[in-house]
Every structure is written in structure tokens, then in C-alpha cells.
Amino acid sequence: MTKKYLLVALSAIIFVVSIAFINAQAQPANVSRDSETLSKPNIVLVHGAWADGSSWSKVIPLLQEKGYNVTAVQIPLTSLAEDAAVTRRVLAMQSGPTILVGHSYGGAVITEAGANASNVVGLVYISAFAPDEGEVLGELNERMPAAPGMANLLPDSEGFLWIDPEAFPESFAQDVDPVQARVMAAVQKPVPASIFGEKTTQAAWKSKPSWYLISENDRIINPDLERFMAERIGAREVVSISSDHASLVSHPDEVTRLITDAANATTKC
């Protein structure tokens, strides 16, 4: 009986030691993966006019699969000052370096909000406005002929601008699946016309590296205006794709690639 108990005890000891050895061997891999994740910058996404944070729904999972911590801001679309303030609050919640991304009007928001945010290490403009300090979007738009989709804006009695729902797919999202484009039209968030007269008080792209994606078939922002802005801000990388205005929905792979290019470049710096 004594030998039997000794054999059982010895077997138990060997089992425990084996498990401990396996765990010890696995630990460096886990630590490495955690360190790699922590080394990646955060990604904060800012939507544009006539949209909300869900417009990033195809880009977010692609970034998350690559190990990025992603947050999509829900800006109120009430004024540039208020939209920038909401974005700053989200930036303040991020731990570590952050890439700030804006689509359409969201480009004006990241230009304003990113200037004094010490954790913002890069700006990515996706078919977006990139105004200069003291500039208003209305004046910026007038630098080039108006894009055709702007003819389909409908003001309401409260001074908010909508895109005619019937014209929304062809004006905003002609490359998007028609069913999804109609959903986007149904859930669009209007903007006050006064937003296009608000001055940008600071331009983050003057002190932060930037990247720019041009949508060549954009019917909301003139593609020539996008080219002008990309050159003016000195974008480190300019990507031009055959896309509608809703490039983040219709071409999420290309959008994600540019964002990760920015993230990789700032990580190396």
C-alpha cells in the first residue's frame, strides 16, 4: 500500500510540474502579443455630415482584426465648436498615442480638435475638408466648382440642411449597395447651414503629420478641391481611388490601409 500511495503522489507531482513547465513556455508568447497590441496607437474615427458613427461599421472590424483599439465619435453635428469639444473628450479618454481620422465634414472637426491634443500623433483625411486657420467651409468650397450632389440639399424651417432622400444614393453613395444607400438616406443626420460659416480657429495639420484619401468620383466635395487640400496640408501619403463620397462604406479596405499606413509610420517615429 505504501508503494501504491508513493506512486500516486509521484504521478501527481510530475503532472503539476509538467503543467507549470507548459505555462512557463507559453508565457513569453502571451507577453509578446500584449506588448505588440500596446505598441499600436489608438484609432479615433470622426464621421461627417449626413451620417453618424455607424458609417465606420465596415472599417472598424478591419482595424480591430489588426489589433487596434478603435473608437468612433458620435458628434452632434450642431456646430464646429461643439463637435470639436465632443471629439476632444473622446481623445482625452485614450491612453497613449492616437491617430485621428475624419471623413467629409469630420475633417474640419479633426483639424480643430487635434491641434492641442498632445496624444494625437497623426491625422487621416478621408474624402474630407482640411481647412486652414481662420477659414470657413463655405469659402473653401467656393475655391472650386460645386460638386453636383450639393444641388440636392434641402433646408428645413429650422435652418438645417438635408440631402433629398430620393437623390441621396446618387449624390452621396453611388458605389454603395442600393439597399444600404437607401438606409443611409433614411438615417441621415442633418447639419445647420451655419456650420459652413464657422471659422476654424486652429489647424492641427500644421503641427501633426497627415495622410489624405481622394475620392475621384465624389459628388459632395469636388475631387479637385480634395487634391488642393491634400497638397496644401503636405500630406505624407495621398491615395486617390475611384470612389463616391462614402468611401469608408464603399471602399473600406483602401480606407483601412491608409489608416494603418499612418499608424505604422507614427509608430516608427
Side-chain angles (χ1 to χ4, degrees):
M1 293 295 292
T2 302
K3 289 183 178 180
K4 180 178 179 181
Y5 287 132
L6 286 173
L7 288 173
V8 170
L10 182 59
S11 297
I13 292 169
I14 292 172
F15 176 78
V16 170
V17 170
S18 299
I19 293 298
F21 177 78
I22 291 171
N23 285 339
Q25 291 296 101
Q27 186 63 25
N30 289 335
V31 170
S32 177
R33 282 196 296 271
D34 290 344
S35 298
E36 182 181 355
T37 300
L38 290 172
S39 71
K40 293 178 179 290
N42 305 296
I43 310 292
V44 171
L45 309 168
V46 182
H47 65 83
W50 306 294
D52 65 11
S54 67
S55 60
W56 295 102
S57 61
K58 291 188 176 182
V59 172
I60 291 170
L62 295 177
L63 290 169
Q64 290 176 333
E65 286 170 6
K66 296 178 183 297
Y68 290 98
N69 172 51
V70 185
T71 306
V73 186
Q74 293 283 13
I75 55 175
L77 291 179
T78 47
S79 72
L80 179 58
E82 290 176 358
D83 294 336
V86 170
T87 302
R88 288 190 193 99
R89 286 201 294 273
V90 174
L91 289 173
M93 295 170 59
Q94 308 305 307
S95 176
T98 301
I99 299 293
L100 187 55
V101 187
H103 171 246
S104 189
Y105 161 73
V109 177
I110 69 171
T111 298
E112 182 77 20
N116 293 327
S118 60
N119 60 338
V120 172
V121 294
L123 307 164
V124 182
Y125 293 86
I126 306 296
S127 318
F129 286 112
D132 198 353
E133 185 176 330
E135 199 166 42
V136 302
L137 297 186
E139 293 173 354
L140 187 54
N141 254 336
E142 291 173 0
R143 286 178 174 266
M144 304 289 175
M150 296 298 283
N152 294 312
L153 296 185
L154 299 175
D156 65 20
S157 59
E158 299 297 323
F160 282 79
L161 297 174
W162 303 72
I163 297 177
D164 181 349
E166 292 297 321
F168 190 101
E170 284 304 308
S171 298
F172 194 96
Q174 68 266 27
D175 295 341
V176 177
D177 173 78
V179 173
Q180 185 177 6
R182 289 195 292 272
V183 170
M184 292 169 65
V187 302
Q188 66 174 294
K189 288 180 65 176
V191 293
S194 58
I195 269 184
F196 293 94
E198 290 186 60
K199 286 186 177 182
T200 304
T201 65
Q202 47 196 347
W205 51 263
K206 290 187 172 181
S207 59
K208 316 272 185 178
S210 60
W211 286 255
Y212 201 105
L213 182 141
I214 298 169
S215 290
E216 291 292 349
N217 301 322
D218 202 319
R219 297 176 182 173
I220 295 296
I221 301 177
N222 188 322
D224 288 335
L225 180 58
E226 293 180 11
R227 267 185 284 277
F228 164 77
M229 291 184 289
E231 182 177 356
R232 184 174 67 170
I233 67 177
R236 293 192 176 186
E237 181 181 357
V238 179
V239 175
S240 182
I241 64 174
S242 179
S243 174
D244 57 1
H245 185 63
S247 52
L248 67 175
V249 180
S250 58
H251 295 79
D253 291 330
E254 292 92 331
V255 169
T256 300
R257 191 174 301 119
L258 184 61
I259 295 171
T260 55
D261 283 353
N264 290 336
T266 55
T267 300
K268 293 174 183 176
C269 291

